[in-house]
Amino acid sequence: MTNQNNNTKKWFTLAVLILGGGTVFKLPWLKDAFYVPMMDYFHLTHTQMGFTLSVYAFIQTFGYLISMYVADRFSKKKLMPVALIGIGATGFYLTTFPSYYEILVIWGLFALFAEIAFWPVLIKSVRLLGDSDEQGRMFGFLEAGRGVIDTVIAFAALGIFKWLGEGAAGLRGAILFFSITMIVIAIILYFLLEDDVISAVDEQGQKVNKNKAALEGALKAVKMPEIWVVAFTIFSVYSVYIGLTYFIPFLKDIYGIPVALVGAYGIINQYGLKMLGGPIGGFLADKKFKSPSKYLRVAFAASIIGMIIFILLPHQHLNVYFGVIFTLAYGAIIFTQRAVFFAPIEEVGIPREISGAAVSIACLVGYAPSMFAFTLYGSMLDRSPGMEGYRHVFLTMIAFAALGFLISSYLVKVVNKKKALQQDLESSQIKA
């Protein structure tokens, strides 16, 4: 009965975490649904929009250095609600349609709250919920659940936007909806999440200052090579993932996909694949391959083969629906990888008490492509318009996938070595 209660509590906690994870990025990534209204009513150019996101990415990347300390120093019960309330309160100010420089500050604050105070804590919390053989499913359901919440909240905001006339009032109403929703969910998280026990003793059992313990944990994480191998595996997946963005203009330019179908494709690509890839990736990692690292390696190999075939196809003579189906299938592979790319942190034996620092390092390196990959891929298309430019993009995606295959192969060796050492230790204890 106790095991059943613990299992119920575990999945209930995951559901609560998914609520926060599905809403935290709605305001920072407001452009996903409201790019044109933002330009019109915030009076921004494309360049200014891009620079706003660059400010966010810069603070996000280097902010993970701070979160190495923060994520293990403070409880999720406090950090996650504070982060959501911070984003919601900043969103209220955004409804005043402030100046461009104020918007830069606002997106900087979004990065601080969402990426430093919330995201590493969320990933750490999910890791600690499951045992070593459940990591794939835990992260898979997190990704799928976020996709569901994303979809519901995004379409609700779009409905408000249309209901209020699709103008300034509509945009203001959508922002208010996002802000209020985050604050409500922050309150729910505060009352439903348990307080973390922050260790105040060192490895020798001596009492230490909690600030000192968090700093020592961060330094310990930095010195563990296994964390960096996981981080660069995530880096490779994310570099390929960013390339999926360019399937949309590819289908429009090369296949002549109708405008109405572009919108439907975008929704499926952004939300549908996340909901599909999450549980499939988790199931394959835990049940089929019994190792997230092994699954990531196989998925890298599949993505390389798939993209080579795609490049060699006579696209000008193929039906538009073939292009749509093939690119969505390829995207599904990458989304299954995204669903489980944090799971190897458990496999390589990172101590659970430094989970926050480990996740922060993984995020620092893993999400670094957001600072350069969009510019890299975009410049290829600008320099070589048409099929040649897309071929360069796809070849670069293959290169990143090949890098990921090599790194994940090494990661599998690390995991196998850890398992062998653990088995030897258990055998020696039984003999003793």
Side-chain angles (χ1 to χ4, degrees), residues 325-359:
I325 292 170
F326 197 106
T327 54
L328 287 176
Y330 186 87
I333 295 173
I334 308 306
F335 270 92
T336 62
Q337 289 185 292
R338 275 206 60 180
V340 300
F341 60 17
F342 282 106
I345 291 176
E346 179 74 19
E347 272 195 300
V348 297
I350 304 301
R352 291 197 158 205
E353 64 269 17
I354 61 168
S355 290
V359 168

PDB file of all heavy atoms in Angstrom, residues 325-359:
ATOM      1  N   ILE A 325       5.144  14.993 -44.831  1.00  0.00           N
ATOM      2  CA  ILE A 325       5.208  13.775 -44.014  1.00  0.00           C
ATOM      3  C   ILE A 325       6.652  13.435 -43.651  1.00  0.00           C
ATOM      4  O   ILE A 325       6.966  13.096 -42.506  1.00  0.00           O
ATOM      5  CB  ILE A 325       4.534  12.598 -44.746  1.00  0.00           C
ATOM      6  CG1 ILE A 325       3.026  12.845 -44.851  1.00  0.00           C
ATOM      7  CG2 ILE A 325       4.795  11.282 -44.012  1.00  0.00           C
ATOM      8  CD1 ILE A 325       2.297  11.877 -45.757  1.00  0.00           C
ATOM      9  N   PHE A 326       7.561  13.552 -44.632  1.00  0.00           N
ATOM     10  CA  PHE A 326       8.960  13.198 -44.378  1.00  0.00           C
ATOM     11  C   PHE A 326       9.576  14.126 -43.333  1.00  0.00           C
ATOM     12  O   PHE A 326      10.264  13.664 -42.410  1.00  0.00           O
ATOM     13  CB  PHE A 326       9.771  13.258 -45.681  1.00  0.00           C
ATOM     14  CG  PHE A 326      11.089  12.526 -45.604  1.00  0.00           C
ATOM     15  CD1 PHE A 326      11.253  11.316 -46.248  1.00  0.00           C
ATOM     16  CD2 PHE A 326      12.155  13.035 -44.871  1.00  0.00           C
ATOM     17  CE1 PHE A 326      12.462  10.616 -46.180  1.00  0.00           C
ATOM     18  CE2 PHE A 326      13.361  12.355 -44.786  1.00  0.00           C
ATOM     19  CZ  PHE A 326      13.514  11.141 -45.447  1.00  0.00           C
ATOM     20  N   THR A 327       9.348  15.427 -43.468  1.00  0.00           N
ATOM     21  CA  THR A 327       9.951  16.372 -42.519  1.00  0.00           C
ATOM     22  C   THR A 327       9.354  16.222 -41.119  1.00  0.00           C
ATOM     23  O   THR A 327      10.061  16.364 -40.120  1.00  0.00           O
ATOM     24  CB  THR A 327       9.796  17.821 -42.999  1.00  0.00           C
ATOM     25  OG1 THR A 327       8.397  18.095 -43.264  1.00  0.00           O
ATOM     26  CG2 THR A 327      10.604  18.080 -44.260  1.00  0.00           C
ATOM     27  N   LEU A 328       8.062  15.927 -41.040  1.00  0.00           N
ATOM     28  CA  LEU A 328       7.457  15.696 -39.725  1.00  0.00           C
ATOM     29  C   LEU A 328       8.003  14.420 -39.088  1.00  0.00           C
ATOM     30  O   LEU A 328       8.237  14.382 -37.868  1.00  0.00           O
ATOM     31  CB  LEU A 328       5.932  15.620 -39.840  1.00  0.00           C
ATOM     32  CG  LEU A 328       5.197  16.946 -40.091  1.00  0.00           C
ATOM     33  CD1 LEU A 328       3.704  16.696 -40.283  1.00  0.00           C
ATOM     34  CD2 LEU A 328       5.432  17.932 -38.954  1.00  0.00           C
ATOM     35  N   ALA A 329       8.210  13.388 -39.899  1.00  0.00           N
ATOM     36  CA  ALA A 329       8.770  12.146 -39.376  1.00  0.00           C
ATOM     37  C   ALA A 329      10.189  12.383 -38.856  1.00  0.00           C
ATOM     38  O   ALA A 329      10.576  11.874 -37.790  1.00  0.00           O
ATOM     39  CB  ALA A 329       8.774  11.066 -40.460  1.00  0.00           C
ATOM     40  N   TYR A 330      10.957  13.159 -39.602  1.00  0.00           N
ATOM     41  CA  TYR A 330      12.316  13.480 -39.162  1.00  0.00           C
ATOM     42  C   TYR A 330      12.268  14.290 -37.861  1.00  0.00           C
ATOM     43  O   TYR A 330      13.028  14.032 -36.921  1.00  0.00           O
ATOM     44  CB  TYR A 330      13.049  14.273 -40.243  1.00  0.00           C
ATOM     45  CG  TYR A 330      14.507  14.523 -39.919  1.00  0.00           C
ATOM     46  CD1 TYR A 330      15.476  13.594 -40.268  1.00  0.00           C
ATOM     47  CD2 TYR A 330      14.910  15.681 -39.253  1.00  0.00           C
ATOM     48  CE1 TYR A 330      16.810  13.804 -39.962  1.00  0.00           C
ATOM     49  CE2 TYR A 330      16.240  15.896 -38.938  1.00  0.00           C
ATOM     50  CZ  TYR A 330      17.185  14.958 -39.300  1.00  0.00           C
ATOM     51  OH  TYR A 330      18.499  15.176 -38.983  1.00  0.00           O
ATOM     52  N   GLY A 331      11.356  15.265 -37.819  1.00  0.00           N
ATOM     53  CA  GLY A 331      11.202  16.070 -36.612  1.00  0.00           C
ATOM     54  C   GLY A 331      10.815  15.226 -35.411  1.00  0.00           C
ATOM     55  O   GLY A 331      11.257  15.485 -34.281  1.00  0.00           O
ATOM     56  N   ALA A 332      10.014  14.188 -35.635  1.00  0.00           N
ATOM     57  CA  ALA A 332       9.589  13.313 -34.538  1.00  0.00           C
ATOM     58  C   ALA A 332      10.792  12.624 -33.902  1.00  0.00           C
ATOM     59  O   ALA A 332      10.853  12.455 -32.677  1.00  0.00           O
ATOM     60  CB  ALA A 332       8.590  12.277 -35.048  1.00  0.00           C
ATOM     61  N   ILE A 333      11.766  12.224 -34.727  1.00  0.00           N
ATOM     62  CA  ILE A 333      12.985  11.596 -34.191  1.00  0.00           C
ATOM     63  C   ILE A 333      13.701  12.557 -33.255  1.00  0.00           C
ATOM     64  O   ILE A 333      14.116  12.194 -32.148  1.00  0.00           O
ATOM     65  CB  ILE A 333      13.926  11.182 -35.343  1.00  0.00           C
ATOM     66  CG1 ILE A 333      13.289  10.094 -36.202  1.00  0.00           C
ATOM     67  CG2 ILE A 333      15.268  10.694 -34.783  1.00  0.00           C
ATOM     68  CD1 ILE A 333      14.087   9.760 -37.452  1.00  0.00           C
ATOM     69  N   ILE A 334      13.838  13.802 -33.692  1.00  0.00           N
ATOM     70  CA  ILE A 334      14.562  14.797 -32.895  1.00  0.00           C
ATOM     71  C   ILE A 334      13.793  15.109 -31.605  1.00  0.00           C
ATOM     72  O   ILE A 334      14.398  15.296 -30.544  1.00  0.00           O
ATOM     73  CB  ILE A 334      14.803  16.084 -33.702  1.00  0.00           C
ATOM     74  CG1 ILE A 334      15.456  15.754 -35.048  1.00  0.00           C
ATOM     75  CG2 ILE A 334      15.658  17.064 -32.910  1.00  0.00           C
ATOM     76  CD1 ILE A 334      16.729  14.944 -34.951  1.00  0.00           C
ATOM     77  N   PHE A 335      12.462  15.149 -31.677  1.00  0.00           N
ATOM     78  CA  PHE A 335      11.678  15.431 -30.471  1.00  0.00           C
ATOM     79  C   PHE A 335      11.756  14.282 -29.461  1.00  0.00           C
ATOM     80  O   PHE A 335      11.681  14.520 -28.250  1.00  0.00           O
ATOM     81  CB  PHE A 335      10.223  15.736 -30.836  1.00  0.00           C
ATOM     82  CG  PHE A 335       9.962  17.196 -31.080  1.00  0.00           C
ATOM     83  CD1 PHE A 335      10.049  17.726 -32.356  1.00  0.00           C
ATOM     84  CD2 PHE A 335       9.656  18.054 -30.033  1.00  0.00           C
ATOM     85  CE1 PHE A 335       9.835  19.079 -32.581  1.00  0.00           C
ATOM     86  CE2 PHE A 335       9.429  19.401 -30.246  1.00  0.00           C
ATOM     87  CZ  PHE A 335       9.520  19.922 -31.525  1.00  0.00           C
ATOM     88  N   THR A 336      11.902  13.038 -29.933  1.00  0.00           N
ATOM     89  CA  THR A 336      12.101  11.938 -28.976  1.00  0.00           C
ATOM     90  C   THR A 336      13.445  12.109 -28.261  1.00  0.00           C
ATOM     91  O   THR A 336      13.571  11.760 -27.081  1.00  0.00           O
ATOM     92  CB  THR A 336      12.068  10.565 -29.663  1.00  0.00           C
ATOM     93  OG1 THR A 336      13.132  10.465 -30.627  1.00  0.00           O
ATOM     94  CG2 THR A 336      10.728  10.315 -30.341  1.00  0.00           C
ATOM     95  N   GLN A 337      14.444  12.651 -28.960  1.00  0.00           N
ATOM     96  CA  GLN A 337      15.732  12.916 -28.320  1.00  0.00           C
ATOM     97  C   GLN A 337      15.618  14.050 -27.302  1.00  0.00           C
ATOM     98  O   GLN A 337      16.161  13.964 -26.198  1.00  0.00           O
ATOM     99  CB  GLN A 337      16.781  13.276 -29.368  1.00  0.00           C
ATOM    100  CG  GLN A 337      17.225  12.116 -30.245  1.00  0.00           C
ATOM    101  CD  GLN A 337      18.352  12.525 -31.179  1.00  0.00           C
ATOM    102  OE1 GLN A 337      18.171  13.320 -32.089  1.00  0.00           O
ATOM    103  NE2 GLN A 337      19.538  11.984 -30.941  1.00  0.00           N
ATOM    104  N   ARG A 338      14.911  15.105 -27.695  1.00  0.00           N
ATOM    105  CA  ARG A 338      14.710  16.225 -26.768  1.00  0.00           C
ATOM    106  C   ARG A 338      14.022  15.772 -25.490  1.00  0.00           C
ATOM    107  O   ARG A 338      14.292  16.291 -24.405  1.00  0.00           O
ATOM    108  CB  ARG A 338      13.856  17.311 -27.429  1.00  0.00           C
ATOM    109  CG  ARG A 338      14.625  18.286 -28.288  1.00  0.00           C
ATOM    110  CD  ARG A 338      13.900  19.604 -28.361  1.00  0.00           C
ATOM    111  NE  ARG A 338      13.726  20.205 -27.043  1.00  0.00           N
ATOM    112  CZ  ARG A 338      13.118  21.359 -26.815  1.00  0.00           C
ATOM    113  NH1 ARG A 338      12.615  22.046 -27.812  1.00  0.00           N
ATOM    114  NH2 ARG A 338      13.012  21.835 -25.593  1.00  0.00           N
ATOM    115  N   ALA A 339      13.135  14.812 -25.633  1.00  0.00           N
ATOM    116  CA  ALA A 339      12.364  14.357 -24.467  1.00  0.00           C
ATOM    117  C   ALA A 339      13.247  13.702 -23.418  1.00  0.00           C
ATOM    118  O   ALA A 339      12.947  13.773 -22.220  1.00  0.00           O
ATOM    119  CB  ALA A 339      11.275  13.390 -24.914  1.00  0.00           C
ATOM    120  N   VAL A 340      14.350  13.068 -23.835  1.00  0.00           N
ATOM    121  CA  VAL A 340      15.133  12.264 -22.873  1.00  0.00           C
ATOM    122  C   VAL A 340      16.580  12.722 -22.740  1.00  0.00           C
ATOM    123  O   VAL A 340      17.378  12.055 -22.074  1.00  0.00           O
ATOM    124  CB  VAL A 340      15.113  10.762 -23.270  1.00  0.00           C
ATOM    125  CG1 VAL A 340      13.684  10.240 -23.294  1.00  0.00           C
ATOM    126  CG2 VAL A 340      15.791  10.520 -24.610  1.00  0.00           C
ATOM    127  N   PHE A 341      16.955  13.878 -23.348  1.00  0.00           N
ATOM    128  CA  PHE A 341      18.392  14.187 -23.333  1.00  0.00           C
ATOM    129  C   PHE A 341      18.941  14.621 -21.967  1.00  0.00           C
ATOM    130  O   PHE A 341      20.163  14.707 -21.795  1.00  0.00           O
ATOM    131  CB  PHE A 341      18.813  15.141 -24.447  1.00  0.00           C
ATOM    132  CG  PHE A 341      18.187  16.516 -24.500  1.00  0.00           C
ATOM    133  CD1 PHE A 341      17.519  17.082 -23.427  1.00  0.00           C
ATOM    134  CD2 PHE A 341      18.295  17.271 -25.671  1.00  0.00           C
ATOM    135  CE1 PHE A 341      16.984  18.348 -23.494  1.00  0.00           C
ATOM    136  CE2 PHE A 341      17.765  18.555 -25.746  1.00  0.00           C
ATOM    137  CZ  PHE A 341      17.106  19.088 -24.663  1.00  0.00           C
ATOM    138  N   PHE A 342      18.079  14.853 -20.983  1.00  0.00           N
ATOM    139  CA  PHE A 342      18.572  15.089 -19.629  1.00  0.00           C
ATOM    140  C   PHE A 342      18.670  13.786 -18.816  1.00  0.00           C
ATOM    141  O   PHE A 342      19.324  13.745 -17.773  1.00  0.00           O
ATOM    142  CB  PHE A 342      17.654  16.051 -18.869  1.00  0.00           C
ATOM    143  CG  PHE A 342      17.842  17.500 -19.245  1.00  0.00           C
ATOM    144  CD1 PHE A 342      16.900  18.160 -20.024  1.00  0.00           C
ATOM    145  CD2 PHE A 342      18.962  18.206 -18.829  1.00  0.00           C
ATOM    146  CE1 PHE A 342      17.069  19.497 -20.375  1.00  0.00           C
ATOM    147  CE2 PHE A 342      19.143  19.538 -19.172  1.00  0.00           C
ATOM    148  CZ  PHE A 342      18.193  20.184 -19.948  1.00  0.00           C
ATOM    149  N   ALA A 343      18.019  12.733 -19.286  1.00  0.00           N
ATOM    150  CA  ALA A 343      17.953  11.482 -18.529  1.00  0.00           C
ATOM    151  C   ALA A 343      19.319  10.853 -18.249  1.00  0.00           C
ATOM    152  O   ALA A 343      19.496  10.226 -17.190  1.00  0.00           O
ATOM    153  CB  ALA A 343      17.045  10.479 -19.257  1.00  0.00           C
ATOM    154  N   PRO A 344      20.330  10.960 -19.133  1.00  0.00           N
ATOM    155  CA  PRO A 344      21.629  10.347 -18.827  1.00  0.00           C
ATOM    156  C   PRO A 344      22.330  10.897 -17.592  1.00  0.00           C
ATOM    157  O   PRO A 344      23.293  10.299 -17.116  1.00  0.00           O
ATOM    158  CB  PRO A 344      22.460  10.631 -20.100  1.00  0.00           C
ATOM    159  CG  PRO A 344      21.451  10.738 -21.191  1.00  0.00           C
ATOM    160  CD  PRO A 344      20.286  11.419 -20.543  1.00  0.00           C
ATOM    161  N   ILE A 345      21.882  12.038 -17.071  1.00  0.00           N
ATOM    162  CA  ILE A 345      22.474  12.561 -15.832  1.00  0.00           C
ATOM    163  C   ILE A 345      22.370  11.522 -14.720  1.00  0.00           C
ATOM    164  O   ILE A 345      23.278  11.378 -13.895  1.00  0.00           O
ATOM    165  CB  ILE A 345      21.792  13.886 -15.416  1.00  0.00           C
ATOM    166  CG1 ILE A 345      22.161  15.002 -16.404  1.00  0.00           C
ATOM    167  CG2 ILE A 345      22.183  14.293 -13.998  1.00  0.00           C
ATOM    168  CD1 ILE A 345      21.463  16.324 -16.140  1.00  0.00           C
ATOM    169  N   GLU A 346      21.272  10.783 -14.694  1.00  0.00           N
ATOM    170  CA  GLU A 346      21.107   9.713 -13.711  1.00  0.00           C
ATOM    171  C   GLU A 346      21.984   8.518 -14.066  1.00  0.00           C
ATOM    172  O   GLU A 346      22.616   7.915 -13.198  1.00  0.00           O
ATOM    173  CB  GLU A 346      19.638   9.274 -13.652  1.00  0.00           C
ATOM    174  CG  GLU A 346      19.334   8.153 -12.676  1.00  0.00           C
ATOM    175  CD  GLU A 346      19.359   8.596 -11.230  1.00  0.00           C
ATOM    176  OE1 GLU A 346      19.256   9.816 -10.969  1.00  0.00           O
ATOM    177  OE2 GLU A 346      19.514   7.732 -10.353  1.00  0.00           O
ATOM    178  N   GLU A 347      22.055   8.202 -15.365  1.00  0.00           N
ATOM    179  CA  GLU A 347      22.823   7.030 -15.807  1.00  0.00           C
ATOM    180  C   GLU A 347      24.300   7.112 -15.468  1.00  0.00           C
ATOM    181  O   GLU A 347      24.935   6.103 -15.153  1.00  0.00           O
ATOM    182  CB  GLU A 347      22.686   6.882 -17.329  1.00  0.00           C
ATOM    183  CG  GLU A 347      21.513   6.072 -17.790  1.00  0.00           C
ATOM    184  CD  GLU A 347      21.688   5.684 -19.245  1.00  0.00           C
ATOM    185  OE1 GLU A 347      21.800   6.585 -20.094  1.00  0.00           O
ATOM    186  OE2 GLU A 347      21.734   4.474 -19.529  1.00  0.00           O
ATOM    187  N   VAL A 348      24.866   8.303 -15.605  1.00  0.00           N
ATOM    188  CA  VAL A 348      26.315   8.432 -15.375  1.00  0.00           C
ATOM    189  C   VAL A 348      26.650   8.558 -13.893  1.00  0.00           C
ATOM    190  O   VAL A 348      27.815   8.725 -13.526  1.00  0.00           O
ATOM    191  CB  VAL A 348      26.909   9.626 -16.161  1.00  0.00           C
ATOM    192  CG1 VAL A 348      26.754   9.406 -17.656  1.00  0.00           C
ATOM    193  CG2 VAL A 348      26.265  10.949 -15.742  1.00  0.00           C
ATOM    194  N   GLY A 349      25.642   8.504 -13.034  1.00  0.00           N
ATOM    195  CA  GLY A 349      25.884   8.442 -11.603  1.00  0.00           C
ATOM    196  C   GLY A 349      26.199   9.758 -10.935  1.00  0.00           C
ATOM    197  O   GLY A 349      26.951   9.795  -9.959  1.00  0.00           O
ATOM    198  N   ILE A 350      25.627  10.852 -11.437  1.00  0.00           N
ATOM    199  CA  ILE A 350      25.829  12.147 -10.795  1.00  0.00           C
ATOM    200  C   ILE A 350      25.126  12.126  -9.436  1.00  0.00           C
ATOM    201  O   ILE A 350      23.937  11.795  -9.360  1.00  0.00           O
ATOM    202  CB  ILE A 350      25.261  13.295 -11.650  1.00  0.00           C
ATOM    203  CG1 ILE A 350      25.880  13.271 -13.055  1.00  0.00           C
ATOM    204  CG2 ILE A 350      25.500  14.643 -10.974  1.00  0.00           C
ATOM    205  CD1 ILE A 350      27.375  13.388 -13.088  1.00  0.00           C
ATOM    206  N   PRO A 351      25.815  12.459  -8.336  1.00  0.00           N
ATOM    207  CA  PRO A 351      25.161  12.468  -7.023  1.00  0.00           C
ATOM    208  C   PRO A 351      23.917  13.338  -7.015  1.00  0.00           C
ATOM    209  O   PRO A 351      23.910  14.439  -7.572  1.00  0.00           O
ATOM    210  CB  PRO A 351      26.247  13.055  -6.101  1.00  0.00           C
ATOM    211  CG  PRO A 351      27.530  12.732  -6.780  1.00  0.00           C
ATOM    212  CD  PRO A 351      27.238  12.827  -8.248  1.00  0.00           C
ATOM    213  N   ARG A 352      22.873  12.852  -6.401  1.00  0.00           N
ATOM    214  CA  ARG A 352      21.596  13.558  -6.443  1.00  0.00           C
ATOM    215  C   ARG A 352      21.632  14.894  -5.705  1.00  0.00           C
ATOM    216  O   ARG A 352      20.864  15.798  -6.028  1.00  0.00           O
ATOM    217  CB  ARG A 352      20.485  12.660  -5.890  1.00  0.00           C
ATOM    218  CG  ARG A 352      20.186  11.481  -6.820  1.00  0.00           C
ATOM    219  CD  ARG A 352      18.867  10.823  -6.522  1.00  0.00           C
ATOM    220  NE  ARG A 352      18.410  10.089  -7.712  1.00  0.00           N
ATOM    221  CZ  ARG A 352      17.134   9.813  -7.954  1.00  0.00           C
ATOM    222  NH1 ARG A 352      16.200  10.208  -7.109  1.00  0.00           N
ATOM    223  NH2 ARG A 352      16.793   9.156  -9.038  1.00  0.00           N
ATOM    224  N   GLU A 353      22.512  15.020  -4.732  1.00  0.00           N
ATOM    225  CA  GLU A 353      22.565  16.273  -3.984  1.00  0.00           C
ATOM    226  C   GLU A 353      23.142  17.424  -4.799  1.00  0.00           C
ATOM    227  O   GLU A 353      23.029  18.585  -4.403  1.00  0.00           O
ATOM    228  CB  GLU A 353      23.366  16.088  -2.689  1.00  0.00           C
ATOM    229  CG  GLU A 353      24.834  15.748  -2.883  1.00  0.00           C
ATOM    230  CD  GLU A 353      25.065  14.242  -2.936  1.00  0.00           C
ATOM    231  OE1 GLU A 353      24.080  13.495  -3.145  1.00  0.00           O
ATOM    232  OE2 GLU A 353      26.230  13.828  -2.761  1.00  0.00           O
ATOM    233  N   ILE A 354      23.777  17.136  -5.936  1.00  0.00           N
ATOM    234  CA  ILE A 354      24.276  18.214  -6.807  1.00  0.00           C
ATOM    235  C   ILE A 354      23.528  18.212  -8.143  1.00  0.00           C
ATOM    236  O   ILE A 354      24.047  18.675  -9.156  1.00  0.00           O
ATOM    237  CB  ILE A 354      25.799  18.125  -7.026  1.00  0.00           C
ATOM    238  CG1 ILE A 354      26.181  16.804  -7.707  1.00  0.00           C
ATOM    239  CG2 ILE A 354      26.551  18.302  -5.722  1.00  0.00           C
ATOM    240  CD1 ILE A 354      27.623  16.778  -8.199  1.00  0.00           C
ATOM    241  N   SER A 355      22.307  17.706  -8.130  1.00  0.00           N
ATOM    242  CA  SER A 355      21.506  17.634  -9.359  1.00  0.00           C
ATOM    243  C   SER A 355      21.302  19.008  -9.984  1.00  0.00           C
ATOM    244  O   SER A 355      21.361  19.174 -11.208  1.00  0.00           O
ATOM    245  CB  SER A 355      20.141  16.999  -9.077  1.00  0.00           C
ATOM    246  OG  SER A 355      20.268  15.634  -8.797  1.00  0.00           O
ATOM    247  N   GLY A 356      21.029  20.017  -9.139  1.00  0.00           N
ATOM    248  CA  GLY A 356      20.791  21.361  -9.667  1.00  0.00           C
ATOM    249  C   GLY A 356      21.993  21.902 -10.409  1.00  0.00           C
ATOM    250  O   GLY A 356      21.873  22.442 -11.519  1.00  0.00           O
ATOM    251  N   ALA A 357      23.180  21.756  -9.824  1.00  0.00           N
ATOM    252  CA  ALA A 357      24.407  22.224 -10.476  1.00  0.00           C
ATOM    253  C   ALA A 357      24.668  21.445 -11.759  1.00  0.00           C
ATOM    254  O   ALA A 357      25.067  22.020 -12.786  1.00  0.00           O
ATOM    255  CB  ALA A 357      25.593  22.089  -9.524  1.00  0.00           C
ATOM    256  N   ALA A 358      24.422  20.129 -11.729  1.00  0.00           N
ATOM    257  CA  ALA A 358      24.636  19.298 -12.911  1.00  0.00           C
ATOM    258  C   ALA A 358      23.718  19.723 -14.058  1.00  0.00           C
ATOM    259  O   ALA A 358      24.144  19.849 -15.219  1.00  0.00           O
ATOM    260  CB  ALA A 358      24.394  17.826 -12.565  1.00  0.00           C
ATOM    261  N   VAL A 359      22.450  19.953 -13.741  1.00  0.00           N
ATOM    262  CA  VAL A 359      21.490  20.388 -14.762  1.00  0.00           C
ATOM    263  C   VAL A 359      21.879  21.755 -15.316  1.00  0.00           C
ATOM    264  O   VAL A 359      21.767  22.006 -16.520  1.00  0.00           O
ATOM    265  CB  VAL A 359      20.060  20.428 -14.175  1.00  0.00           C
ATOM    266  CG1 VAL A 359      19.103  21.144 -15.120  1.00  0.00           C
ATOM    267  CG2 VAL A 359      19.568  19.013 -13.894  1.00  0.00           C
TER     268      VAL A 359
END
